[in-house]
Amino acid sequence: DTGVSQDPRHKITKRGQNVTFRCDPISEHNRLYWYRQTLGQGPEFLTYFQNEAQLEKSRLLSDRFSAERPKGSFSTLEIQRTEQGDSAMYLCASSLGGVGTYPYGYTFGSGTRLTVV
Amino acid sequence: DQQVKQNSPSLSVQEGRISILNCDYTNSMFDYFLWYKKYPAEGPTFLISISSIKDKNEDGRFTVFLNKSAKHLSLHIVPSQPGDSAVYFCAAGYTNAGKSTFGDGTTLTVKP
């Protein structure tokens, strides 16, 4: 297993366009997370899946953001009608996890850097 | 309201000495704490964790201490090496919850 893969590594888009990012987690991990990071700040939680079920979505996330994890494998994060404030590093991570367990350490991908011009 | 705070944006230490990185939290529901290290152009890498039933956890050169009454944890690196130079993030979570809440990081520079 080569770890968590994210594609693309960089994306430049014009304001108002839609973008989609892909994440391939570690195959044995049942949980998948999306975080966003801007310069000088820590990763900010967006959403997470356990298998194919989306269990939590940040209240800070607007309706322009949507994520899927069909069949509990890879995941996609789509941003519709991008705005300049969406420019950030989008990080995907995976881990084991379940009811009654402590949070496991995440394995992060290298991220997708989005620039909205 | 930032629930996990790392009040020192940067720290510089000499090779071989101890590095101490600090983290404070406000949410008393957190019962699990983690430290990550991040190099430029890479995602964070999990380092070490501690549950609230313990006050210390050790892994090689890395030790995390938890003071629940003060809502404070710290990461000790002994001895510090130049390869430890990176951004260190503190994170907190709780049982049955998937997400972790991260601090804004401390940049550690270890000078040869």
Side-chain angles (χ1 to χ4, degrees):
Chain A
D1 202 334
T2 55
V4 177
S5 298
Q6 292 189 245
D7 183 69
R9 290 294 303 272
H10 304 273
K11 179 71 177 179
I12 300 175
T13 191
K14 291 184 178 179
R15 190 176 53 183
Q17 297 294 305
N18 299 346
V19 294
T20 300
F21 309 140
R22 177 181 171 120
C23 172
D24 287 273
I26 291 175
S27 56
E28 296 83 9
H29 287 175
N30 60 334
R31 286 187 170 176
L32 185 148
Y33 312 82
W34 286 99
Y35 279 78
R36 176 174 63 188
Q37 186 176 18
T38 53
L39 194 63
Q41 297 194 332
E44 176 189 26
F45 172 76
L46 295 179
T47 188
Y48 91 96
F49 294 82
Q50 182 162 303
N51 300 312
E52 66 274 9
Q54 188 173 19
L55 295 190
E56 189 173 352
K57 184 176 177 179
S58 170
R59 288 172 292 175
L60 301 175
L61 213 58
S62 80
D63 291 341
R64 296 184 297 106
F65 288 71
S66 63
E68 293 183 341
R69 192 184 183 196
K71 302 178 182 178
S73 55
F74 72 92
S75 175
T76 58
L77 177 69
E78 181 183 18
I79 309 174
Q80 296 182 329
R81 305 181 303 281
T82 53
E83 302 172 355
Q84 286 189 322
D86 297 331
S87 295
M89 176 73 80
Y90 289 83
L91 292 165
C92 176
S94 68
S95 77
L96 295 169
V99 174
T101 63
Y102 283 117
Y104 286 82
Y106 298 164
T107 301
F108 279 92
S110 297
T112 294
R113 180 164 297 284
L114 173 66
T115 303
V116 181
V117 297
Chain B
D1 175 34
Q2 195 165 15
Q3 298 185 65
V4 178
K5 296 181 183 180
Q6 295 177 256
N7 292 318
S8 298
S10 63
L11 174 68
S12 180
V13 299
Q14 207 66 34
E15 180 179 6
R17 306 296 292 269
I18 184 172
S19 296
I20 300 176
L21 298 109
N22 294 303
C23 178
D24 297 296
Y25 62 96
T26 58
N27 187 341
S28 58
M29 296 295 291
F30 289 141
D31 63 1
Y32 205 75
F33 305 90
L34 311 98
W35 284 94
Y36 290 82
K37 176 171 71 174
K38 184 183 183 304
Y39 293 121
E42 296 182 9
T45 301
F46 169 66
L47 266 180
I48 191 169
S49 60
I50 188 168
S51 72
S52 60
I53 62 173
K54 295 185 176 181
D55 53 19
K56 176 182 173 181
N57 189 28
E58 240 177 306
D59 184 0
R61 296 186 298 114
F62 301 90
T63 302
V64 57
F65 295 92
L66 175 63
N67 182 334
K68 290 188 293 293
S69 60
K71 295 192 179 69
H72 177 85
L73 63 154
S74 60
L75 175 68
H76 294 211
I77 307 174
V78 184
S80 301
Q81 300 173 353
D84 296 329
S85 298
V87 179
Y88 288 79
F89 292 100
C90 168
Y94 32 83
T95 310
N96 293 328
K99 74 177 185 184
S100 292
T101 301
F102 285 76
D104 287 339
T106 296
T107 301
L108 173 66
T109 303
V110 179
K111 298 179 180 178

